[in-house]
Amino acid sequence: MNIRLIQLKNLVSLHSDSDELADARVMAAIWDEVKGISPEGTAAKIEAEQYARTGYTFPNNSDMKLMFMQLEGQQVQRKGFGGH
């Protein structure tokens, strides 16, 4: 393995348990579940494993939290006005 790959691997390993990366891993797992690449529950398993290490809950990123809160609010409004 060349030196750049070794350095990159070392850098990634330092941050592999971060909650920020866990958000990306969960989102990727959700996409893979939707596409049928990964079995149902893969994203939940990643979240549970990260929670055991750091107390993580999805999403960790504040921008993602806001986005999901807005999406949930839109769904509640639609249901309140007879939408599906």
Side-chain angles (χ1 to χ4, degrees):
M1 187 179 301
N2 77 35
I3 191 71
R4 285 183 181 224
L5 291 177
I6 292 171
Q7 290 172 332
L8 180 59
K9 182 179 177 184
N10 289 336
L11 179 63
V12 169
S13 70
L14 290 174
H15 301 286
S16 64
D17 282 343
S18 75
D19 289 343
E20 292 79 19
L21 282 178
D23 279 349
R25 292 176 57 224
V26 169
M27 286 300 298
I30 290 169
W31 284 113
D32 288 347
E33 287 179 24
V34 168
K35 292 179 182 179
I37 297 169
S38 295
E40 284 292 320
T42 300
K45 181 179 176 186
I46 292 168
E47 182 182 23
E49 289 170 352
Q50 189 68 18
Y51 176 83
R53 286 194 284 274
T54 68
Y56 168 86
T57 56
F58 178 82
N60 180 66
N61 178 282
S62 60
D63 291 333
M64 287 181 73
K65 284 180 186 180
L66 180 60
M67 179 186 71
F68 282 111
M69 285 177 15
Q70 290 171 342
L71 290 173
E72 289 171 358
Q74 289 174 2
Q75 289 176 348
V76 168
Q77 287 177 354
R78 285 186 197 142
K79 288 180 182 177
F81 290 107
H84 296 37

